[in-house]
Amino acid sequence: SQQGEEDPQALSIQEGENATMNCSYKTSINNLQWYRQNSGRGLVHLILIRSNEREKHSGRLRVTLDTSKKSSSLLITASRAADTASYFCANRPIGGAQKLVFGQGTRLTINP
Amino acid sequence: DAGITQSPRHKVTETGTPVTLRCHQTENHRYMYWYRQDPGHGLRLIHYSYGVKDTDKGEVSDGYSVSRSKTEDFLLTLESATSSQTSVYFCAISESGGGTNTGELFFGEGSRLTVL
């Protein structure tokens, strides 16, 4: 399987704390993306980091990419109850013919 | 929100019956995708399209076929549904399909299929 792996599978923290999710992938990539999915809904794109970038910020989100380790992390700072959702990383392999390969997701629960 | 509509949103069917799921977009995006989502597997690509009448297989294409006769519509067909095809199916669209800067997907709300 080309699927990447995410770690942890589930994470439960208190509101206000920071949440970190990790993602690994298997092949050389053009870019890596993070998506969010609320229960019963479709996925929503959060942020894209290119293969030549090491870090990117968007609001309370910080994404890092280490292509030598084929890994990425998503940090959500000052978490809120509304951040409760599943988070997926997805990579776009070089030569992957327009395919986006998703990880299995991290289920994040923010406790008020 | 991107204009993507999936239909039906829920369907219960019996083993051996044909099923067609429809994805309709109003964004005029070139690329369209069908994924299935199952516990423990995340999202897996079934088929995708890179233009009208241009389609290709994903990693879990067995038992599925697709058609795209118009830019706005991408149909997923299960010729003879099996219980292993019980899943939530997501359609996604993308304006571009490759390169380092591109490839953001916009997803529909999903179609929940139960095969008894």
Side-chain angles (χ1 to χ4, degrees):
Chain A
S1 170
Q2 293 181 308
Q3 279 194 305
E5 296 183 359
E6 295 192 52
D7 171 57
Q9 292 186 353
L11 178 62
S12 180
I13 61 173
Q14 296 300 120
E15 195 167 20
E17 294 180 340
N18 296 340
T20 299
M21 290 158 271
N22 302 295
C23 165
S24 62
Y25 55 91
K26 298 182 179 181
T27 63
S28 296
I29 60 173
N30 281 314
N31 65 57
L32 187 139
Q33 304 174 31
W34 286 88
Y35 288 79
R36 166 193 170 125
Q37 184 182 34
N38 288 346
S39 182
R41 305 295 300 275
L43 280 73
V44 175
H45 181 265
L46 293 176
I47 193 168
L48 179 153
I49 186 166
R50 300 190 295 262
S51 58
N52 60 353
E53 296 178 313
R54 292 297 167 258
E55 186 171 314
K56 199 162 185 179
H57 297 254
S58 177
R60 294 184 295 112
L61 305 181
R62 171 179 170 252
V63 170
T64 62
L65 179 64
D66 187 336
T67 53
S68 67
K69 296 181 179 179
K70 292 186 170 58
S71 67
S72 175
S73 67
L74 172 67
L75 169 67
I76 303 174
T77 60
S79 64
R80 305 167 182 170
D83 294 328
T84 293
S86 292
Y87 292 81
F88 294 86
C89 68
N91 69 82
R92 188 170 287 282
I94 292 174
Q98 299 90 36
K99 298 177 184 177
L100 201 59
V101 180
F102 283 82
Q104 298 178 15
T106 293
R107 174 68 188 169
L108 175 65
T109 301
I110 309 299
N111 301 301
Chain B
D1 290 345
I4 308 169
T5 305
Q6 292 186 228
S7 60
R9 294 290 313 281
H10 301 272
K11 186 172 181 66
V12 179
T13 191
E14 294 187 350
T15 297
T17 60
V19 175
T20 295
L21 305 180
R22 180 181 183 234
C23 178
H24 178 79
Q25 62 147 327
T26 58
E27 305 296 323
N28 201 35
H29 284 357
R30 178 180 175 187
Y31 299 91
M32 299 186 75
Y33 306 81
W34 278 107
Y35 285 88
R36 61 177 288 174
Q37 184 175 31
D38 304 287
H41 291 278
L43 275 83
R44 292 179 293 175
L45 182 64
I46 305 172
H47 281 279
Y48 68 100
S49 170
Y50 47 96
V52 173
K53 298 186 179 179
D54 291 324
T55 64
D56 203 353
K57 296 179 179 180
E59 61 177 310
V60 289
S61 59
D62 287 348
Y64 302 94
S65 63
V66 290
S67 66
R68 191 170 179 199
S69 58
K70 299 184 291 185
T71 298
E72 56 266 35
D73 289 327
F74 192 33
L75 304 181
L76 177 69
T77 298
L78 292 67
E79 299 290 348
S80 178
T82 67
S83 59
S84 65
Q85 294 175 312
T86 291
S87 187
V88 180
Y89 292 86
F90 285 97
C91 175
I93 64 174
S94 176
E95 187 171 19
S96 57
T100 58
N101 292 328
T102 60
E104 173 185 354
L105 297 188
F106 299 92
F107 282 82
E109 291 296 295
S111 295
R112 182 175 295 276
L113 175 67
T114 301
V115 184
L116 302 176

